[in-house]
Amino acid sequence: MDASAFRWLYDDLPRSRCPVRADPGPARRHDLAESADGPSVRRIVALAKELDAGIGFGFLQEDDGVLFNAYAVCLPDGQVHVHRKLHAFEHEAIASGSTYTVFDTPWGFRAGVLICWDNNLVENVRITALLGATVLLAPHQTGGTNSRSPHGMKPLPLSLWENRVSDPEALEEAFNGPSGRGWLMRWLPARAHDNGLFVLFSNGVGRDDDELRTGNSMILDPYGRIVAETPVPAESVVTADLDLDLVPLSTGRRWLRGRRPDLYTPLTERIGNELDPRAARFSPDPVQL
């Protein structure tokens, strides 16, 4: 399967569309939002038909007055599948979605969508695989964030981007370092490997409000191997042929069959210290289980 059948026009909802620091106010937020059948979706559906491709893009969705960080996958047969981020922390006015998004494609595989932080909570990727997805679309807007973890990502100087023409080596080193690609390599391959699916990871690159996004878009196979990757700091389309025959005997798929669901009740029970996604993401307090 030619992975170029999926194209990314936009990644996860950028802060320019949903500002965290420079809040435009309720009226402007709703002006920026669209419905699941709004003008942006209709325009991309037409383009998907024209190109005979699946096209995914992020947008601010409004449904009955409620705002969501959403990602629409438009297929050439006219179908549209909209995923609402399950763990939305971008702004207190944005609600979290409550359903998984897995669907059949014209190319003979089932695809799933998880937006940004959805992928960091391991249960989400496992459930998406259990729902039959063999290709996970993972749009992000990440890299260079101010993680509270002492060994997590840290902000990168904006001067690196401003001087990208005069000093490209410094920018490349930072984007591939521990706050960019190095951070991704700690967990992203495991999502593919442990669940036996392809991961199509897309990410913004460049200045995003007062932080830098590090790019590193890539395609990983069901063994967690990188099939294709963008060079940083270039903005480019990643393409690869996906060998779907790798899925059935992959390590992750065999692990799925070895599960013992009767042991996993604690995963569905509250332990009393749960927080909403925004509080969990930004809380300065140590976690005590």
Side-chain angles (χ1 to χ4, degrees):
M1 196 284 292
D2 186 348
S4 63
F6 276 107
R7 300 167 185 262
W8 270 252
L9 295 190
Y10 304 98
D11 300 300
D12 186 19
L13 188 66
R15 287 182 180 159
S16 59
R17 295 293 305 276
C18 183
V20 173
R21 297 164 184 80
D23 192 337
R28 181 57 176 157
R29 286 197 296 270
H30 286 272
D31 287 343
L32 291 169
E34 298 185 20
S35 67
D37 59 354
S40 293
V41 171
R42 293 196 300 270
R43 185 163 60 250
I44 301 303
V45 167
L47 186 59
K49 293 179 179 178
E50 177 186 340
L51 298 175
D52 191 29
I55 304 177
F57 74 102
F59 71 108
L60 185 61
Q61 183 190 15
E62 182 171 9
D63 184 5
D64 197 23
V66 182
L67 300 176
F68 298 94
N69 180 348
Y71 190 83
V73 179
C74 304
L75 300 177
D77 60 4
Q79 293 189 58
V80 178
H81 301 275
V82 176
H83 177 72
R84 294 171 174 174
K85 189 175 183 181
L86 302 173
H87 305 275
F89 59 76
E90 295 78 9
H91 192 280
E92 60 187 10
I94 295 182
S96 293
S98 57
T99 58
Y100 290 93
T101 305
V102 178
F103 52 91
D104 293 317
T105 71
W107 303 283
F109 64 86
R110 283 176 66 77
V113 183
L114 291 171
I115 296 174
C116 205
W117 209 41
D118 289 351
N119 294 275
N120 293 112
L121 281 76
V122 296
E123 294 87 351
N124 293 326
V125 184
R126 174 55 55 89
I127 291 171
T128 299
L130 289 172
L131 291 173
T134 55
V135 175
L136 173 63
L137 310 181
H140 280 66
Q141 190 75 357
T142 191
T145 67
N146 190 13
S147 170
R148 294 192 180 277
S149 300
H151 301 290
M153 288 183 294
K154 299 302 175 186
L156 298 172
L158 296 177
S159 59
L160 287 169
W161 185 252
E162 295 165 353
N163 298 328
R164 62 189 181 279
V165 175
S166 60
D167 193 0
E169 292 83 7
L171 183 65
E172 180 178 353
E173 180 179 3
F175 277 17
N176 283 327
S179 291
R181 188 179 188 274
W183 170 75
L184 293 173
M185 291 300 99
R186 296 185 192 179
W187 64 271
L188 185 57
R191 299 298 182 270
H193 173 273
D194 293 355
N195 298 288
L197 41 67
F198 287 92
V199 174
L200 277 59
F201 168 85
S202 63
N203 190 31
V205 60
R207 185 165 182 167
D208 181 14
D209 201 357
D210 61 351
E211 294 182 339
L212 288 182
R213 301 292 165 247
T214 57
N216 308 113
S217 294
M218 63 183 72
I219 297 170
L220 301 98
D221 76 4
Y223 290 92
R225 302 179 301 177
I226 298 174
V227 178
E229 182 178 5
T230 59
V232 295
E235 294 185 89
S236 58
V237 176
V238 186
T239 64
D241 292 326
L242 305 187
D243 182 1
L244 296 176
D245 290 337
L246 291 176
V247 173
L249 288 178
S250 63
T251 305
R253 289 289 144 157
R254 292 188 290 107
W255 286 356
L256 290 180
R257 294 187 69 186
R259 293 178 309 113
R260 291 186 56 191
D262 52 298
L263 296 178
Y264 307 148
T265 301
L267 288 175
T268 63
E269 295 178 339
R270 291 185 174 272
I271 62 175
N273 70 342
E274 292 82 7
L275 298 174
D276 66 81
R278 185 171 174 82
R281 172 63 177 81
F282 296 111
S283 173
D285 300 327
V287 179
Q288 303 292 337
L289 295 181

